[in-house]
C-alpha cells in the first residue's frame, strides 16, 4: 500500500483519539465507581440495577413501616401488662374481701382501692401513641372509653359504668409485599368487661355486700385476666413475626446490595490496572506520533 | 545542428512543468479533497533525417496532466458515508433521548415513583398525620412533573430536529446549486480541450458532502456534467437544479419534497443525515413517548380508581387523585397532573387513605345516601356451590341488614334500609364501615401497590414497564453506537485506500523533484554543449 503523509497523520490522530476515549471511560469508571452511566453502556446491567435499587428502596421503607407497626404493638403490649397488674391486685382484693370476718368499715376502705383500680383501668384503655388512641379501632381520634352519663347502678338498663366510642375495625399495616398485619385491639373487646367488673365490685364493697357476693368476682377477674393473657400472647406472637420479617428483610437488603454491587460497581484493581495500561499505550502513541511526523525526505535534501 | 538546442529546450520546458506540478502537489498535500496530479510526458513527433530512411527524435512534451483517482473506491466511500451520516444522526438522537430520561439517577422517573411509593407507605402507617399527607401530595406532584418534563423535553427535541431537517434541506440546496455551477465551468473547459482537474476535485468534494447529507445517485455524462437524482427524482440536471422543499405535516413532522417545475413531489431518502434526523424525529421519539403515555395513563387510571373507592379524612369518596386523562392514553404523559381539589389549600385532607372494607377482595362499599356514622357492618359471603354467593350482612348490633344469594361482582342494594350499596367480590368475612375513621390507612397501601405490585399494563407493573422502556432505549442507543462506530471505521478504511491512491506523499514528490531537477540540469548541459559545438563550427569558418 502506498502510504501518504496525511494518511499517517490521520491514522495517528484516530488512534490517539481512541486511546484518549478509552482513558476517559476508565477515568469515569474510576471516579464514579460504576461500570455504566447510561442505559446504552449496558442495557441489561442498567435495568437490573434499576430493579435492584427499587427493591432496596422498598425494603428500606418496609423496615421503617415495621418499626412503626412494632412501636404500636409494643405500646399495646405494655398497656396490657399494666392492666394485668391491675387485675392481679383486684384478684387479691376479691379473695381478701370474700373473708366474712371483715367488717363493713374494712370493706369500705377496700372499695376505695378498687375504685382507684377501676379508674386506672379506664386510663389504660385510653392510652395513646402519639396523637392516636390505641384502643378505639380505626377511630383513632376518639377517646375509646368514656363514662356513661346516665349511669345508675340500681337501674339494670343503665348500670354499665362506661361506654365504648370507637369501632371494631382493624388497623392493617403493610409490612412486606405480601404481608398485611393487624396491629390494633379495641377497648370494647379488651377492657370494657374488666372495667365493669371492677366497677361492680367497687359498688358492692361500698354498699357493704357480704363476702359471698365479693367472692363471686374472683372468677370474673380471673376470666378477665385469662382473656388479657390471650391478647398478650397474640400481640407477642405478632411482634415475633415482625422480628422474623424484619430479619429476613435485613438479610434481603444485604444480599441485594451485594448483588447490586457485583452488577454495577467496578472492580477497582481491574480498572486501575487497565487505566495504567491505557496511560502507557497513550504515552506510547504520543511518542510514536512525534516520531512519525519527523522524518521525511525533505530533511535529507540540502 | 540546432536540433540539440531544440531538444534541450523541450526538455527544459517539460521538466519545469513537471516540477511545477510537483510543487502544486506539495502545496496541496494537506488538502483533503485534492487528488494528486502527474504530468504525462511523451516524446515529440520525430523528424525524418534528410537523405536517410530513419527518424530522429525531437525531444519531449507534456501530453497531459492527470488526476490520479480510482472512481470505484470514491463511489464506495460516498455510499458508505451516506450510511455513516445516517447512523451519526441516530446515535446523536439516542444519546440525547438517554439524557432526557436520565436513568439511572436520583432524579429520574423511577426515583419519583419510589419516593411517591414511600410516601404512600408512610401514609399507611400514619393516615391522619398532616406532614405525611403533605408528603404524599408533594411526591405526587413531583411524579406528575417528572412525566411532563420528559414529555416536554422530548417534544422540544423533536421541534429542534424538525428545524434541523429544514437546515439540512437548505444546505442540500446550496450544494446542488454550486454543483450545477461547476458543471457549467467544467463542460466549458472540457469543450476547449482543457483538463479542469482542480474544478473536478472541487465538484467531487461537494458531491461527497452531499452524499453524507442525503442518499443520492449521480452519473457523469459524455460532456462532463454530473447529474444527480434523489429517490429517483432529478436533483441536478446539467446546469439546472430542482429545489428541495419542506412540506408541513403533523406536529413537527415535516416532510421533504422536490420542486419540479412548480409541482412538489414527495421525496423519501434511503439514508444520509437527513434520513437519520427524520427517523429519530418520526420513529424513535414517538415510540418512546407512546410507551410513556401508556404507562402514565394506566398508572393514573388505576390509581384514580382505587383512590375513588377509598375515603378521605372527612369520610368522602369518589375523589380522583390525578386529573382524569380521558378515554385513551394519547398525550397522557403531557397531561398528567394532580387533581385541583387535592392540590388546593387544605386538599391534603382529600387524599383517600382509608377504604371501607377491611378486605376489598371480598367486598367493596359505596355510599349512595346518608349513612349512620356510628354503624359498621359485618359481611359474610360463602360460595353456594353453583358459582353464586350466599351473603349475610349484619349491623354492628348483630341484627341482619340484608341477606340473599347473588352472582359474584354484583351489587347488593341496601339503599332503602341502610343507605348504601355493596359489591360482592369473593368469599370470606369482613367488616365494612362508613365511619369517618382517621386511623384507617388501608387504602394507602393499596394505592402503593399500583406502583409496584398491580399489573396495570402488559401483564406487568408500572415500574417493570418503565424499566422495560429504559432497556429498549438502552439497546437501541447501544446499537446506534455500534453502527456509528463500525460505519465510521468502514468510511475511514475506504478513505485510507482512497488517500493511498490519490493522496500526496511528500517523499515521493521530493524524489520526483530531484528526478526532474537532474533532468533539467542535464538538458541545460545539452544546450551549453550544443552552443559550444556551434562556437567551434563558427570558429572553423572564420
Amino acid at each position: 500500500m502506498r502510504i501518504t503523509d496525511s494518511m499517517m497523520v490521520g491514522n495517528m490522530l484516530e488512534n490517539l483519539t481512541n486511546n484518549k476515549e478509552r482513558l476517559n471511560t476508565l477515568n469515569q469508571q474510576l471516579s464514579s465507581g460504576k461500570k455504566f452511566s447510561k442505559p446504552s453502556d449496558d442495557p441489561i446491567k442498567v435495568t437490573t440495577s434499576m430493579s435492584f435499587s427499587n427493591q432496596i428502596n422498598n425494603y428500606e421503607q418496609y423496615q421503617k413501616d415495621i418499626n412503626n407497626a412494632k412501636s404500636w404493638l409494643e405500646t399495646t403490649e405494655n398497656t396490657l401488662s399494666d392492666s394485668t397488674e391491675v387485675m392481679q391486685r383486684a384478684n387479691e382484693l376479691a379473695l381478701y374481701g370474700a373473708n366474712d370476718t371483715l367488717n363493713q368499715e374494712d370493706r369500705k376502705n377496700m372499695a376505695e382501692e378498687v375504685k382507684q383500680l377501676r379508674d386506672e383501668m379506664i386510663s389504660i384503655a385510653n392510652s395513646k401513641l402519639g396523637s392516636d388512641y390505641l384502643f378505639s379501632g380505626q377511630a383513632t381520634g376518639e377517646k375509646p372509653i368514656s363514662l356513661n352519663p346516665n349511669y345508675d347502678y340500681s337501674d339494670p338498663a343503665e348500670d354499665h359504668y362506661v361506654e365504648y366510642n370507637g369501632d371494631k375495625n382493624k388497623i392493617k399495616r403493610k409490612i412486606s409485599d405480601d404481608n398485611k398485619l393487624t396491629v390494633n385491639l379495641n377497648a370494647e373487646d379488651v377492657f370494657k368487661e374488666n372495667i365493669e367488673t371492677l366497677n361492680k365490685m367497687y359498688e358492692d364493697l361500698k354498699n357493704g355486700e357480704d363476702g359471698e357476693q365479693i367472692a363471686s368476682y374472683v372468677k370474673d377477674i380471673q376470666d378477665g385476666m385469662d382473656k388479657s393473657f390471650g391478647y398478650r400472647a397474640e400481640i407477642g406472637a405478632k411482634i415475633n413475626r415482625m422480628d422474623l420479617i424484619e430479619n429476613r428483610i435485613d438479610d434481603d437488603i444485604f444480599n441485594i446490595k451485594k448483588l447490586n454491587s457485583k452488577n454495577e460497581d467496578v472492580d477497582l484493581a481491574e480498572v486501575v490496572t487497565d487505566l495504567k495500561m491505557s496511560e502507557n499505550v497513550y504515552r506510547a502513541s504520543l511518542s510514536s506520533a512525534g516520531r512519525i511526523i519527523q522524518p521525511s525526505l525533505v530533511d535529507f535534501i540540502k | 545542428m540546432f536540433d540539440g538546442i531544440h531538444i534541450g529546450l523541450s526538455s527544459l520546458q517539460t521538466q519545469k512543468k513537471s516540477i511545477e506540478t510537483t510543487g502544486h502537489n506539495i502545496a496541496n498535500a494537506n488538502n483533503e479533497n485534492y487528488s494528486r496530479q502527474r504530468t504525462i510526458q511523451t516524446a515529440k513527433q520525430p523528424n525524418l533525417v534528410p537523405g536517410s530512411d530513419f527518424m530522429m527524435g525531437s525531444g519531449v512534451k507534456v501530453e497531459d496532466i492527470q488526476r490520479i483517482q480510482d472512481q470505484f473506491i470514491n463511489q464506495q466511500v460516498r455510499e458508505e458515508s451516506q450510511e455513516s451520516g445516517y447512523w451519526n444522526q441516530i446515535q446523536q438522537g439516542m444519546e440525547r433521548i438517554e439524557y432526557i430520561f436520565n436513568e439511572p439517577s436520583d432524579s429520574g422517573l423511577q426515583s419519583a415513583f419510589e419516593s411517591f411509593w414511600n410516601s404512600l407507605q408512610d401514609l399507611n402507617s400514619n393516615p391522619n398525620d398532616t406532614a405525611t399527607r403533605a408528603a404524599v401530595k408533594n411526591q405526587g406532584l413531583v411524579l406528575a412533573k417528572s412525566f411532563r418534563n420528559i414529555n416536554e423535553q422530548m417534544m422540544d427535541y423533536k421541534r429542534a430536529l424538525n428545524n434541523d431537517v429544514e437546515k439540512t434541506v437548505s444546505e442540500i440546496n446550496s450544494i446542488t446549486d454550486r454543483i450545477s455551477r461547476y458543471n457549467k465551468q467544467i463542460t466549458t473547459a472540457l469543450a476547449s480541450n482543457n483538463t479542469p482537474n482542480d474544478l473536478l476535485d472541487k465538484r467531487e468534494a461537494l458531491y461527497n458532502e452531499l452524499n453524507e447529507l442525503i442518499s443520492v445517485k449521480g452519473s457523469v455524462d459524455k460532456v462532463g456534467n454530473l447529474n444527480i437524482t434523489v429517490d429517483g427524482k432529478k436533483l441536478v440536471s446539467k446546469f439546472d437544479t430542482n429545489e428541495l422543499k419542506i412540506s408541513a405535516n403533523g406536529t413537527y413532522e415535516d416532510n421533504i419534497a422536490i420542486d419540479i417545475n412548480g409541482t412538489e413531489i414527495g421525496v423519501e431518502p434511503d439514508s444520509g443525515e437527513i434520513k437519520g434526523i427524520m427517523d429519530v424525529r418520526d420513529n424513535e421519539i414517538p415510540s418512546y413517548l407512546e410507551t410513556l403515555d401508556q404507562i402514565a395513563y394506566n398508572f393514573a387510571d388505576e390509581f384514580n380508581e382505587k383512590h375513588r373507592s377509598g375515603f378521605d379524612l372527612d369520610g368522602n369518596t369518589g375523589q380522583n387523585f390525578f386529573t382524569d386523562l380521558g378515554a385513551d392514553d394519547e398525550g397522557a404523559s403531557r397531561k398528567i397532573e394532580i387533581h385541583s381539589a387535592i392540590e388546593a389549600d387544605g386538599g391534603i385532607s382529600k387524599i383517600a387513605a382509608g377504604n371501607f372494607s377491611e378486605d376489598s377482595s371480598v367486598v367493596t362499599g359505596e355510599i349512595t345516601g346518608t349513612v349512620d356514622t356510628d354503624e359498621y357492618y359485618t359481611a359474610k359471603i360463602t360460595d353456594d356451590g353453583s358459582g353464586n354467593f350466599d351473603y349475610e350482612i349484619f349491623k354492628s348490633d348483630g341484627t341482619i341488614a340484608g341477606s340473599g344469594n347473588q352472582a359474584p361482582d354484583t351489587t347488593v342494594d341496601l339503599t332503602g334500609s341502610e343507605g348504601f350499596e355493596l359489591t360482592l367480590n369473593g368469599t370470606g368475612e369482613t367488616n365494612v364501615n362508613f365511619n369517618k375513621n382517621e386511623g384507617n390507612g388501608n387504602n394507602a397501601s393499596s394505592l402503593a401497590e399500583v406502583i409496584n405490585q398491580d399489573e396495570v399494563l402488559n401483564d406487568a407493573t408500572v415500574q417493570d414497564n418503565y424499566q422495560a422502556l429504559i432497556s429498549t432505549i438502552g439497546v437501541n442507543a447501544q446499537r446506534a453506537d455500534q453502527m456509528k462506530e463500525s460505519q465510521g471505521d468502514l468510511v475511514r478504511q475506504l478513505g485510507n485506500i482512497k488517500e493511498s491512491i490519490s493522496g500526496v506523499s511528500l517523499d515521493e514528490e521530493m524524489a520526483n523533484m530531484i528526478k526532474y531537477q537532474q533532468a533539467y540540469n542535464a538538458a541545460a548541459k545539452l544546450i551549453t554543449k550544443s552552443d559550444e559545438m556551434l562556437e567551434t563550427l563558427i570558429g572553423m569558418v572564420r
Side-chain angles (χ1 to χ4, degrees):
Chain A
M1 198 180 192
R2 185 176 166 270
I3 305 293
T4 73
D5 300 78
S6 59
M7 247 165 98
M8 285 182 87
V9 174
N11 287 340
M12 175 204 85
L13 277 177
E14 179 63 26
N15 289 332
L16 271 184
T17 317
N18 286 344
N19 288 337
K20 215 168 183 178
E21 255 172 42
R22 172 135 187 82
L23 262 184
N24 181 45
T25 312
L26 288 169
N27 265 319
Q28 210 177 355
Q29 286 187 352
L30 195 61
S31 58
S32 72
K34 300 270 180 279
K35 286 178 192 156
F36 44 75
S37 63
K38 52 186 197 307
S40 56
D41 291 343
D42 192 331
I44 292 167
K45 282 208 163 87
V46 167
T47 36
T48 309
S49 159
M50 279 173 79
S51 108
F52 279 151
S53 77
N54 191 7
Q55 281 180 46
I56 292 170
N57 172 74
N58 292 5
Y59 282 146
E60 285 177 348
Q61 175 68 35
Y62 282 139
Q63 280 182 325
K64 199 174 148 192
D65 298 334
I66 285 174
N67 280 330
N68 263 320
K70 253 168 75 177
S71 67
W72 186 289
L73 287 172
E74 278 161 3
T75 319
T76 305
E77 148 82 3
N78 287 342
T79 53
L80 285 177
S81 139
D82 290 348
S83 83
T84 309
E85 273 172 38
V86 170
M87 295 303 279
Q88 263 161 0
R89 180 64 190 147
N91 190 36
E92 285 165 21
L93 288 172
L95 286 171
Y96 181 60
N99 194 338
D100 275 334
T101 57
L102 292 177
N103 61 29
Q104 201 125 354
E105 204 52 39
D106 295 333
R107 290 228 164 80
K108 273 191 182 150
N109 288 340
M110 273 176 63
E112 199 46 43
E113 191 177 350
V114 174
K115 185 180 164 215
Q116 293 303 324
L117 291 177
R118 178 198 72 191
D119 292 348
E120 175 61 18
M121 203 60 154
I122 293 174
S123 101
I124 287 172
N126 287 337
S127 295
K128 278 171 134 183
L129 177 64
S131 58
D132 295 329
Y133 287 103
L134 283 171
F135 298 105
S136 57
Q138 289 177 351
T140 51
E142 298 280 338
K143 201 176 193 174
I145 295 293
S146 64
L147 302 184
N148 176 10
N150 307 319
Y151 175 67
D152 180 358
Y153 190 57
S154 56
D155 174 6
E158 293 294 346
D159 69 349
H160 55 286
Y161 183 64
V162 291
E163 285 178 335
Y164 175 63
N165 306 310
D167 58 40
K168 292 183 122 179
N169 291 316
K170 294 168 185 161
I171 291 178
K172 288 194 173 178
R173 296 288 174 77
K174 196 171 169 191
I175 49 165
S176 77
D177 275 355
D178 24 55
N179 275 306
K180 282 184 185 172
L181 203 79
T182 304
V183 294
N184 70 325
L185 296 171
N186 66 70
E188 175 152 10
D189 291 348
V190 184
F191 299 114
K192 193 158 179 287
E193 239 177 76
N194 291 343
I195 294 169
E196 294 300 343
T197 305
L198 291 175
N199 183 57
K200 279 183 187 134
M201 186 171 149
Y202 157 70
E203 292 281 1
D204 287 354
L205 282 169
K206 193 177 72 184
N207 297 338
E209 297 283 348
D210 61 7
E212 201 180 332
Q213 174 63 21
I214 304 302
S216 73
Y217 291 111
V218 173
K219 191 185 176 301
D220 289 347
I221 290 171
Q222 277 174 353
D223 283 354
M225 274 166 68
D226 285 349
K227 231 167 122 185
S228 174
F229 280 132
Y231 286 122
R232 279 180 73 179
E234 186 187 325
I235 298 289
K238 277 183 182 166
I239 293 177
N240 284 342
R241 189 171 150 212
M242 290 233 183
D243 285 339
L244 286 177
I245 294 177
E246 195 178 15
N247 286 341
R248 209 189 62 214
I249 285 180
D250 286 348
D251 288 349
D252 282 350
I253 291 179
F254 179 77
N255 288 331
I256 293 172
K257 280 190 172 162
K258 210 165 69 184
L259 284 174
N260 195 30
S261 160
K262 215 179 246 175
N263 180 58
E264 65 177 28
D265 292 347
V266 292
D267 179 345
L268 277 186
E270 198 183 309
V271 174
V272 171
T273 317
D274 283 357
L275 189 67
K276 272 279 157 224
M277 258 161 67
S278 301
E279 261 171 21
N280 287 338
V281 171
Y282 183 62
R283 220 164 266 156
S285 58
L286 277 179
S287 77
S288 100
R291 270 173 217 152
I292 282 174
I293 302 170
Q294 282 291 327
S296 148
L297 197 52
V298 183
D299 300 318
F300 302 99
I301 295 171
K302 292 280 142 54
Chain B
M1 202 64 216
F2 291 101
D3 284 352
I5 291 178
H6 281 297
I7 291 172
L9 181 63
S10 76
S11 174
L12 279 183
Q13 285 168 338
T14 304
Q15 305 317 326
K16 191 166 157 268
K17 268 192 188 143
S18 297
I19 282 192
E20 277 164 7
T21 305
T22 303
H24 189 49
N25 283 340
I26 292 170
N28 282 289
N30 288 329
N31 177 350
E32 58 178 311
N33 295 316
Y34 182 75
S35 309
R36 68 189 160 110
Q37 297 176 9
R38 277 283 165 267
T39 46
I40 308 297
Q41 302 184 358
T42 51
K44 281 172 102 173
Q45 184 69 32
N47 299 324
L48 193 66
V49 178
S52 76
D53 54 359
F54 60 86
M55 313 265 275
M56 175 84 180
S58 68
V60 68
K61 66 173 181 183
V62 173
E63 191 186 66
D64 193 11
I65 297 178
Q66 231 179 36
R67 267 160 93 226
I68 311 288
Q69 269 203 330
D70 182 336
Q71 275 306 331
F72 177 68
I73 286 288
N74 290 356
Q75 184 54 31
Q76 267 188 309
V77 172
R78 279 192 289 269
E79 274 167 19
E80 296 308 331
S81 65
Q82 292 176 4
E83 280 294 294
S84 173
Y86 175 79
W87 285 108
N88 275 347
Q89 289 301 326
I90 298 280
Q91 191 271 341
Q92 261 182 39
M94 290 311 301
E95 198 173 15
R96 179 75 174 267
I97 290 168
E98 278 189 294
Y99 282 131
I100 290 176
F101 276 89
N102 192 20
E103 297 287 0
S105 79
D106 296 334
S107 53
L109 191 58
Q110 147 129 340
S111 158
F113 266 123
E114 283 174 359
S115 302
F116 189 46
W117 184 87
N118 289 351
S119 72
L120 288 167
Q121 277 293 119
D122 284 342
L123 186 64
N124 175 232
S125 297
N126 304 299
N128 58 348
D129 181 55
T130 316
T132 309
R133 287 184 164 260
V136 171
K137 172 183 140 183
N138 288 334
Q139 296 303 345
L141 283 170
V142 169
L143 177 64
K145 180 96 178 112
S146 300
F147 268 114
R148 294 202 306 274
N149 257 345
I150 295 177
N151 185 294
E152 219 168 89
Q153 288 184 55
M154 290 284 261
M155 290 312 283
D156 282 352
Y157 185 40
K158 195 169 168 175
R159 184 166 49 228
L161 288 173
N162 205 40
N163 288 339
D164 285 352
V165 171
E166 208 169 308
K167 271 185 234 156
T168 312
V169 162
S170 62
E171 214 176 320
I172 291 169
N173 284 334
S174 144
I175 291 173
T176 52
D177 184 52
R178 279 180 286 163
I179 288 179
S180 69
R181 282 164 209 269
Y182 279 124
N183 272 352
K184 190 163 195 175
Q185 292 177 26
I186 287 166
T187 48
T188 313
L190 283 172
S192 44
N193 264 337
N194 292 327
T195 358
N197 284 331
D198 296 324
L199 290 178
L200 287 169
D201 272 350
K202 281 182 181 164
R203 187 177 70 181
E204 191 160 300
L206 283 172
Y207 183 45
N208 292 346
E209 212 180 304
L210 183 65
N211 271 278
E212 276 175 41
L213 296 178
I214 190 165
S215 50
V216 288
K217 288 198 168 68
S219 58
V220 179
D221 67 12
K222 277 182 219 155
V223 293
N225 286 308
L226 173 60
N227 298 319
I228 302 171
T229 61
V230 56
D231 190 21
K233 286 122 197 163
K234 279 183 185 170
L235 200 57
V236 178
S237 170
K238 293 175 185 166
F239 312 152
D240 297 321
T241 58
N242 289 321
E243 256 197 24
L244 271 189
K245 295 224 158 135
I246 295 287
S247 56
N249 177 38
T251 321
Y252 317 132
E253 290 194 3
D254 294 346
N255 287 328
I256 51 175
I258 199 158
D259 183 350
I260 298 176
N261 302 326
T263 317
E264 286 184 15
I265 300 168
V267 169
E268 278 166 18
D270 309 322
S271 190
E273 282 184 12
I274 198 163
K275 166 81 169 159
I277 297 170
M278 290 168 87
D279 273 2
V280 173
R281 186 192 66 178
D282 305 342
N283 299 337
E284 304 295 342
I285 292 179
S287 97
Y288 306 136
L289 271 186
E290 195 188 327
T291 309
L292 193 69
D293 280 348
Q294 284 172 355
I295 293 173
Y297 183 82
N298 287 286
F299 163 69
D301 199 46
E302 177 80 8
F303 197 88
N304 276 343
E305 195 183 319
K306 279 195 173 175
H307 197 266
R308 284 196 304 271
S309 76
F311 61 76
D312 64 15
L313 271 185
D314 302 316
N316 296 322
T317 57
Q319 174 68 50
N320 276 341
F321 186 84
F322 295 103
T323 27
D324 188 54
L325 291 172
D328 62 63
D329 56 31
E330 165 69 31
S333 62
R334 187 182 71 244
K335 292 188 278 193
I336 187 168
E337 59 182 350
I338 285 193
H339 196 281
S340 52
I342 305 258
E343 210 186 333
D345 283 349
I348 54 170
S349 68
K350 291 198 163 64
I351 295 171
N355 60 15
F356 294 119
S357 166
E358 293 291 342
D359 187 354
S360 57
S361 66
V362 175
V363 68
T364 51
E366 190 181 327
I367 296 178
T368 44
T370 323
V371 176
D372 178 359
T373 52
D374 284 340
E375 205 74 70
Y376 65 87
Y377 300 82
T378 307
K380 285 181 187 168
I381 305 166
T382 46
D383 200 327
D384 70 353
S386 67
N388 284 350
F389 292 149
D390 282 325
Y391 69 88
E392 284 179 301
I393 296 160
F394 300 95
K395 290 162 82 156
S396 44
D397 60 9
T399 57
I400 277 212
S403 66
N405 183 285
Q406 217 148 359
D409 297 321
T410 50
T411 303
V412 177
D413 188 356
L414 300 173
T415 332
S417 57
E418 310 294 327
F420 64 91
E421 293 179 336
L422 283 181
T423 307
L424 309 180
N425 300 321
T427 57
E429 181 179 334
T430 187
N431 284 335
V432 186
N433 75 85
F434 299 98
N435 294 356
K436 173 191 144 186
N437 289 339
E438 60 266 62
N440 186 329
N442 297 343
N443 202 38
S445 60
S446 163
L447 287 169
E449 284 169 9
V450 178
I451 297 169
N452 72 330
Q453 282 185 282
D454 293 348
E455 296 183 347
V456 298
L457 177 63
N458 306 325
D459 293 329
T461 66
V462 169
Q463 280 178 327
D464 288 346
N465 272 289
Y466 180 64
Q467 281 164 15
L469 171 62
I470 295 301
S471 167
T472 309
I473 291 172
V475 168
N476 288 349
Q478 195 183 37
R479 174 158 171 265
D481 279 349
Q482 286 162 353
M483 287 306 290
K484 180 200 165 180
E485 191 89 357
S486 63
Q487 204 60 37
D489 284 347
L490 191 56
V491 169
R492 255 189 307 281
Q493 279 165 17
L494 287 168
N496 269 344
I497 297 176
K498 178 185 166 186
E499 173 70 20
S500 158
I501 293 162
S502 303
V504 176
S505 158
L506 287 178
D507 292 348
E508 204 176 287
E509 299 303 330
M510 293 313 285
N512 280 338
M513 209 159 86
I514 294 166
K515 186 173 84 183
Y516 295 135
Q517 194 192 0
Q518 296 296 1
Y520 187 91
N521 288 348
K525 272 270 169 14
L526 175 67
I527 291 174
T528 325
K529 287 297 164 197
S530 299
D531 181 44
E532 278 176 19
M533 283 161 74
L534 271 174
E535 284 293 333
T536 311
L537 188 65
I538 290 165
M540 274 172 65
V541 177
R542 197 177 289 146

